[in-house]
Amino acid sequence: MTRGLSFATIDVFTDIRFTGNPLAIVNIPMGASLTQETKQKIAREFNYSETVFLHEDDGTGNGRKVDIFTVNEELPFAGHPTIGTLHFIGSQSKAEGQSVQSIKLLCKAGIIDAKYDHGTHVAAAEIPHDVHVHSTRASMEAVLDSQPGLKDDLYVHNQLQGYPIVSPVKGMQFVLVQLKDNERSLSRVQLGHIPVHQMEYGAGFVAPYFYVMYNDEKKPGWTQIESRMIEPEIGEDPATGSAACALACYLALQHKLPGTTSKYEITQGVDMGRESHIRVEVTIDATGVMVEKVVLSGTAVLMMQGMMEM
């Protein structure tokens, strides 16, 4: 019988406490067992966008098993839980003379091969992906129905074609809504409206991801993006690694350049006062029409640790 579980909370995609996206990590020791119902209750108790259940290393070499829960459901993959968990493992297990540590995680979407740099505190994960650009698009009318305040901010090119719906892995869909880069158009994204997530777009988790693109001459080689993500039934998410991966993959695929790697730095959470910085590198395969590799990276900082009575 599981009597008590240790836990930690981490602020992810930041190196400054009280910013970034909070994450709860619950340690599951060997031999302990939690039902899905119990995991869901614990996730609701923390009330973060995601809670990770990190299983003890079983010595098989298949990676540390992780179960990722929102307050409503289990997810096959999520970005900020991945980076936060890697930071938690890496920061507690530095070997003598080791500057970069290899870590392997196993989530429902597959194996995650990653590295943690003990000098920079950056975790970089090659994420499992099954990138799919859906044939159905979200219409301008559907977007404005959920966000009427964006009437003058929608990017004109996409008003005609509709807005792409992209899955980084099966079971997760993001409606990518580009806005004009003007006078803080992102600040006009509203909470409390029904998001563009009706199920004609497919089953599973669906949410809109609003973004603007801009240039920063101080960071050559990296496409700069600022974004906001409205999560159904929860509100705004300070940093969404899976949505960042979906957007980065979609943008990289538009170039149709075989064998190239595109780099994106995405800032999120500014309007919430929880600024976050996400980096995604996408490599396109030799055909120019498929994603070969996706690397998600970022920093994190430990907030608190404790024991949970069961």
Side-chain angles (χ1 to χ4, degrees), residues 15 87 90-91 94 98-101 115-123 299:
D15 55 7
H87 175 85
S91 63
K94 182 179 180 180
Q98 187 181 49
S99 59
V100 178
Q101 178 182 353
K115 295 185 182 299
Y116 179 76
D117 189 316
H118 290 276
T120 62
H121 308 295
V122 171
T299 56

Side-chain angles (χ1 to χ4, degrees), residues 116-142:
Y116 179 76
D117 189 316
H118 290 276
T120 62
H121 308 295
V122 171
E126 184 175 340
I127 69 164
H129 62 274
D130 185 11
V131 179
H132 178 68
V133 180
H134 295 254
S135 57
T136 302
R137 285 180 166 237
S139 68
M140 181 182 69
E141 290 75 19

Side-chain angles (χ1 to χ4, degrees), residues 24-211:
I25 299 175
V26 180
N27 292 295
I28 309 298
M30 196 78 70
S33 178
L34 296 179
T35 65
Q36 291 289 100
E37 181 182 9
T38 299
K39 292 176 186 176
Q40 193 66 73
K41 286 180 178 179
I42 292 171
R44 288 175 183 153
E45 183 73 15
F46 278 111
N47 201 33
Y48 289 160
S49 56
E50 281 100 10
T51 295
V52 168
F53 297 88
L54 175 63
H55 295 257
E56 187 176 351
D57 191 346
D58 61 8
T60 63
N62 293 325
R64 296 283 297 273
K65 181 183 175 185
V66 293
D67 305 317
I68 304 169
F69 280 73
T70 71
V71 295
N72 294 315
E73 62 185 331
E74 184 175 9
L75 298 178
F77 164 79
H80 107 272
T82 297
I83 297 302
T85 302
L86 291 170
H87 175 85
F88 178 73
I89 295 172
S91 63
Q92 296 193 1
S93 57
K94 182 179 180 180
E96 186 69 27
Q98 187 181 49
S99 59
V100 178
Q101 178 182 353
S102 295
I103 303 172
K104 183 180 289 187
L105 300 179
L106 178 62
C107 67
K108 293 295 190 296
I111 292 174
I112 301 172
D113 288 310
K115 295 185 182 299
Y116 179 76
D117 189 316
H118 290 276
T120 62
H121 308 295
V122 171
E126 184 175 340
I127 69 164
H129 62 274
D130 185 11
V131 179
H132 178 68
V133 180
H134 295 254
S135 57
T136 302
R137 285 180 166 237
S139 68
M140 181 182 69
E141 290 75 19
V143 173
L144 288 177
D145 183 59
S146 67
Q147 296 286 337
L150 296 180
K151 182 177 181 180
D152 297 325
D153 296 306
L154 296 176
Y155 194 67
V156 175
H157 177 71
N158 282 344
Q159 286 185 13
L160 303 177
Q161 296 183 351
Y163 297 88
I165 302 168
V166 180
S167 296
V169 296
K170 290 181 180 178
M172 302 189 80
Q173 288 84 216
F174 294 98
V175 183
L176 306 179
V177 182
Q178 184 174 3
L179 304 180
K180 299 174 185 176
D181 182 15
N182 61 14
E183 295 295 327
R184 294 295 307 159
S185 57
L186 279 170
S187 68
R188 288 183 279 277
V189 173
Q190 300 177 43
L191 304 179
H193 286 69
I194 298 173
V196 184
H197 72 290
Q198 301 306 310
M199 298 320 291
E200 70 251 29
Y201 302 135
F205 179 89
V206 190
Y209 197 54
F210 303 92
Y211 71 98

